[in-house]
Amino acid sequence: MKIMIVYYSAYGHVHRMAEAVAEGAGEMAGAEVVMRRVPETLPEELLKKIGIFDAQKAFSHIPVCAADELVAADAIIFGTPTRFGNMCGQMRSFLDATGGLWARGALVGKIGSVFTSTGTQHGGQESTILSFHTTLLHHGMIIVGLPYSFQGQTRNDEVTGGSPYGASTIAGTENERWPSENELAGARFQGRHVAGIAGRLFR
């Protein structure tokens, strides 16, 4: 059973969530967990100007994903920061390059799941994940979210990400806030939940 975590991270928040998703998925017996980044589309000069170039060095060891790699996975968990309530352009570009997989029905029946990060509490976490699901449905994937059996998403004692659509974190408008333990717990739960369903489905 192969679980792929495919994500884009600018400053590291989605990367940290991806690590937690991988931790959770890796707890399931028989799960092979693979992490991949989608290709960067911004020019290096701009990346340096806005501080992304140096931030991305921390996870530059994660290989860049090729679209054909998705075929070997039983479940794919996608991570993206939000851009105006939608996935980021880098992720959109990567998915737009999967037309050949769509034509072959190569992802039909695979599990798809999504997690995200926003700058603010109401910055589009749910809309980003829900709009992402449209692409997964066009590929014929089976969508898995973050069920309420993860009780951390019902907490009201702190500002926190997490919804039944998927794990999420709040990065802050200056990228100053990092995933809380509750948000990381949600990411681990989602990874474990997806791996568990994949194990039952493909056993």
Side-chain angles (χ1 to χ4, degrees):
M1 179 178 62
K2 187 169 186 177
I3 312 294
M4 286 194 72
I5 301 162
V6 180
Y7 69 96
Y8 175 80
S9 188
Y11 295 97
H13 302 81
V14 175
H15 171 71
R16 182 66 194 95
M17 293 288 281
E19 290 181 321
V21 170
E23 291 168 11
E27 293 175 10
M28 299 304 297
E32 175 192 356
V33 182
V34 177
M35 293 178 65
R36 291 288 186 270
R37 295 178 294 130
V38 301
E40 180 60 78
T41 59
L42 297 177
E44 185 175 308
E45 181 179 342
L46 179 58
L47 293 174
K48 290 180 178 178
K49 184 176 181 180
I50 60 180
I52 292 177
F53 186 79
D54 289 333
Q56 289 184 340
K57 289 179 181 178
F59 44 93
S60 61
H61 60 285
I62 304 295
V64 172
C65 191
D68 284 343
E69 289 186 80
L70 303 180
V71 178
D74 297 303
I76 308 166
I77 308 173
F78 296 93
T80 177
T82 190
R83 297 290 185 266
F84 303 107
N86 288 281
M87 69 180 77
C88 66
Q90 292 86 344
M91 181 62 73
R92 182 71 266 164
S93 179
F94 174 77
L95 292 173
D96 283 347
T98 62
L101 301 183
W102 170 83
R104 305 199 311 268
L107 304 185
V108 172
K110 297 182 185 296
I111 292 174
S113 192
V114 185
F115 62 98
T116 191
S117 169
T118 59
T120 60
Q121 183 180 2
H122 302 292
Q125 295 189 354
E126 294 183 358
S127 64
T128 297
I129 295 175
L130 287 171
S131 60
F132 202 123
H133 286 168
T134 305
T135 299
L136 305 187
L137 288 168
H138 275 263
H139 271 295
M141 301 183 77
I142 302 166
I143 292 175
V144 174
L146 179 65
Y148 278 108
S149 46
F150 171 63
Q151 297 182 357
Q153 65 176 291
T154 65
R155 292 177 61 170
N156 57 18
D157 61 324
E158 66 174 70
V159 174
T160 185
S163 76
Y165 313 114
S168 55
T169 187
I170 303 161
T173 56
E174 300 296 330
N175 301 301
E176 75 281 4
R177 183 186 183 276
W178 288 91
S180 68
E181 181 48 46
N182 188 55
E183 292 167 340
L184 293 173
R188 284 190 288 269
F189 190 104
Q190 186 170 347
R192 188 165 53 248
H193 181 57
V194 168
I197 291 175
R200 293 195 297 273
L201 188 61
F202 299 111
R203 185 158 41 233

